[in-house]
Amino acid sequence: MQLANYLFFSTGCEEALAFYTECGLGQITQLKRHGADGMPVATDAMRGKVMHARFEGPDVLFFASDNHDAEPMRGSAHMLIMDDRDSTDSLFARLAEGGKITTPLAVQPWGSYYGKLTDRFGVQWMLDCLEHDAEKCERFSDDTLFSPEHVLCASVRR
């Protein structure tokens, strides 16, 4: 079993997927249009818009479409687990272009380098990086009081 998100746009699906491709997240691997190849059309305004799309990249999979009755996106976010701070900083900046940063990238109380944003298409993204400093981890013992660095080191030791 695998969980994959499905994003609903009112009419900006194709533009959003092109933006995510430019950000380096992957590419469209399947695309069907409203009204093409016998596909139904709910309204004339939807003709030619994305009826169903599959978007894939390394460790990324989600689906998306344009819908005449799409509601604003809320209550869910894509969470990307990143490998290093440089790629986290770079991708966060690209996704934030024209959007709104709701939690700036920083080391959080649970120890991750984390930030959250809503992109210009209304999709929420959370980027989480557990990159750690091995030398710093060696200075902590298991009885050290709670600190963000200790949380990171404890998770690395397991």
Side-chain angles (χ1 to χ4, degrees), residues 10-11 14 32-51 66-68:
S10 54
T11 59
E14 195 161 11
K32 301 285 183 187
R33 296 188 183 279
H34 289 280
D37 301 320
M39 296 291 174
V41 180
T43 67
D44 282 338
M46 296 307 295
R47 187 171 305 283
K49 299 293 182 186
V50 177
M51 180 182 187
D66 288 313
N67 289 272
H68 68 285

Side-chain angles (χ1 to χ4, degrees), residues 21-124:
T21 299
E22 289 171 18
C23 287
L25 291 173
Q27 63 186 6
I28 298 168
T29 57
Q30 180 184 30
L31 189 132
K32 301 285 183 187
R33 296 188 183 279
H34 289 280
D37 301 320
M39 296 291 174
V41 180
T43 67
D44 282 338
M46 296 307 295
R47 187 171 305 283
K49 299 293 182 186
V50 177
M51 180 182 187
H52 176 78
R54 180 182 178 109
F55 189 93
E56 296 181 83
D59 296 319
V60 172
L61 170 65
F62 62 88
F63 300 86
S65 66
D66 288 313
N67 289 272
H68 68 285
D69 60 352
E71 295 182 24
M73 293 185 207
R74 57 180 179 255
S76 183
H78 282 312
M79 185 161 185
L80 299 173
I81 308 302
M82 306 296 292
D83 294 326
D84 61 77
R85 284 192 183 194
D86 289 341
S87 62
T88 303
D89 289 335
S90 176
L91 181 56
F92 192 86
R94 284 184 280 169
L95 287 169
E97 290 173 11
K100 179 181 179 185
I101 295 172
T102 51
T103 304
L105 281 169
V107 175
Q108 301 298 326
W110 60 87
S112 291
Y113 184 62
Y114 167 91
K116 183 178 176 190
L117 63 93
T118 301
D119 71 22
R120 65 183 180 221
F121 302 100
V123 177
Q124 295 182 79

